[in-house]
Amino acid sequence: MADNCIFCKIIRGEIPAAKLFEDDELLAFRDINPAAPLHFLVIPKKHISGPAAVTTEDEQLIGRMLRIGGEIAKKEGFDDFRVVFNNGAKAGQTVFHIHMHILGGRDLNWPPG
Ligand code: 5GP
Ligand code: ZN
């Protein structure tokens, strides 16, 4: 847990979020500024600053993020979706607590901007 991390605050219940899934190690919630009709984030409760900070001990946790995210997308009625992790400010990372975006419900361009 990091005191000033906005996603740790969501985990602690200090900031509200539209939660889609929660267990002892993961939380999924809708993005506050959705970039697609379906746009939610899956985060570990462990504060990890980003993809480049993942260690071998996190491998199962990060794998669970993908499985749970896919299950939520399917439950929300979306078979086609994009999974995005941003690492570093130049890649668009604005919150330095690792998070997996899942976006769907519209045509998505490739390569992304
Ligand atoms: P990044 O740009 O770091 O990859 O993604 C951060 C995402 O978190 C953004 O899409 C942004 O809209 C979302 N976000 C930032 N603050 C909050 C918040 O307080 N609540 C929710 N639900 N989403 C947030
Ligand atoms: Zn955090």
Side-chain angles (χ1 to χ4, degrees):
M1 285 283 185
D3 285 353
N4 287 320
C5 168
I6 194 158
F7 287 174
C8 284
K9 288 182 179 176
I10 288 174
I11 292 163
R12 291 196 295 264
E14 295 168 14
I15 294 176
K19 295 180 184 177
L20 294 167
F21 174 87
E22 181 166 18
D23 69 7
D24 57 337
E25 57 182 8
L26 297 179
L27 179 64
F29 53 95
R30 295 190 193 281
D31 197 291
I32 203 166
N33 185 23
L38 178 73
H39 187 182
F40 66 90
L41 305 173
V42 183
I43 66 172
K45 291 189 171 178
K46 176 182 178 183
H47 180 90
I48 300 168
S49 62
V54 170
T55 65
T56 50
E57 79 171 25
D58 304 320
E59 286 174 359
Q60 192 181 355
L61 181 65
I62 303 301
R64 279 198 76 228
M65 289 170 68
L66 187 57
R67 180 179 65 78
I68 295 291
E71 287 181 5
I72 295 168
K74 189 170 185 182
K75 199 172 160 195
E76 291 286 306
F78 295 85
D79 289 326
D80 296 0
F81 55 87
R82 181 168 292 170
V83 179
V84 175
F85 284 87
N86 293 321
N87 189 83
K90 285 184 183 166
Q93 188 178 5
T94 58
V95 178
F96 290 83
H97 179 129
I98 193 169
H99 49 281
M100 186 179 78
H101 294 258
I102 292 201
L103 301 120
R106 66 170 172 83
D107 289 344
L108 295 162
N109 297 325
W110 193 261

